Amino acid sequence: MGNIVAVVGRPNVGKSTFFNRLIKRREAIVDAVSGVTRDRHYGKTDWNGREFSLIDTGGYVVGSDDIFEAEIDKQVELAIDEADAIIFMVDVETGVTGMDEDVANLLRKVEKPVFLVVNKVDNNKRAEDAVEFYSLGLGEYYTIASINGSGTGDLLDAVVEALPEKEEIEEEQLPRFAVVGRPNAGKSSFINALIGEDRYIVTDIAGTTRDSIDTKYNRFGFEFNLVDTAGIRRKSKVKEDLEFYSVMRSIRAIEHCDVCLLVLDATRGFDGQVQNIFWLAERNRKGVVILVNKWDLVEKDNKTAKEFEKYIRQEIAPFTDVPIVFISVLNKQRIFKAIETAVEVYKNRTKRIKTSVLNETLLPIIEHNPPPAYKGKYVKIKYIMQLPTPQPQFAFFCNLPQYVKDPYRRFLENQLRDHFDFNGVPVSVYMRKK
């Protein structure tokens, strides 16, 4: 499974600044998604060749009457329990506070790597002041200045070294279709309807699935694994925040699947939580099928489906080449169409285009629609090839790759989609020096 690193601490110690700086180190492959509760973000990054997901939690405040802070406390506890390593950030300017001690008490019980990080250490005097954090009883600490990145390299070297290695699955590698979405959108019911038995616990209470479980499935002459990613805490002693845990569970499942079937509740719409999960899938370059469940509960006329689909595509722009299937799990309406569509998306994701076909098809189009001149210089694209990657990535070789801007890259992507059908699959376009 993918590694998760949680960044925790009390409010205003610089966690978000640290997070933002880290995820921007690798702009080509890294992005972040804002959470639905204040001051929480999810990002994917890498260091020394090790990729991991980063969770920036809200500030931990024990005993607060503020309802938002109480919810953030739950999320911090969930993040600590789910993460493979924890970065505990404190502030050298304020020194050790009672809230720091509360977090330290929580972390001393955790049997996972914990990295005590003293932030805002940007001179020798502050480095000397940091010594007092030994009193938290967490051993050695790292000093950084998240505002300018000082010290983060040594910290990240230690973090990635402590992360457990991903388990290599030696058994047959079946395609994995992850069923993701908000709690109570109908994910488990969808799988039950497909396999014709109550393999999963299905109730009207949000978040009754205990863990991600694979179900082998064979239909349309195609065998694959279905993964239900609903989820609440496996340990009952931890208070639950179902929305937050749903995203954390989805992060792991999305990283290790081929196609995401994003189930949404038609009565709730394509809201921020669903959009977060959609963009997690897109940024991980996975195939996506959007399933609009409970369509039978929506009052509709002959225009309702088209208007709903138009709204979704506006929200997911510019990645609009995504199949949208309106289903009713209760009535078993179009559920097999949903799987058929997922199989087609998987085939699109694993499609290989011959180099000769790529060049014969696209070079004449590019010749008639060349990149705009930049500073009086003309870009000439000479050669195209598909890269040997698990998802569609294409290299366009030219004389001046640095002058090809995003609008023209989107033009090239659209030409690839128009001629070779990559429906439901993110496509990456790279400009390379010939």
Side-chain angles (χ1 to χ4, degrees), residues 53-67:
S53 295
L54 197 68
I55 309 294
D56 169 28
T57 62
Y60 191 82
V61 183
V62 175
S64 171
D65 293 330
D66 187 304
I67 187 170

Side-chain angles (χ1 to χ4, degrees), residues 1-8 43-44 50-55 57 76-88 107 110-115 158-167 233-234 245 248-249 251-253 255-256:
M1 301 298 286
N3 294 129
I4 292 180
V5 178
V7 185
V8 305
K44 187 176 177 66
R50 290 290 300 277
E51 288 192 359
F52 56 92
S53 295
L54 197 68
I55 309 294
T57 62
V76 171
E77 291 174 356
L78 288 171
I80 289 171
D81 197 56
E82 183 69 11
D84 299 295
I86 298 113
I87 292 174
F88 172 29
L107 293 177
V110 175
E111 294 182 0
K112 295 176 181 180
V114 175
F115 298 87
V159 169
V160 296
E161 186 177 346
L163 290 176
E165 292 290 337
K166 296 177 183 177
E167 295 180 9
R233 290 308 312 122
R234 290 161 294 182
Y245 193 70
M248 294 197 69
R249 179 62 67 192
I251 288 172
R252 286 194 184 276
E255 285 181 342
H256 298 280

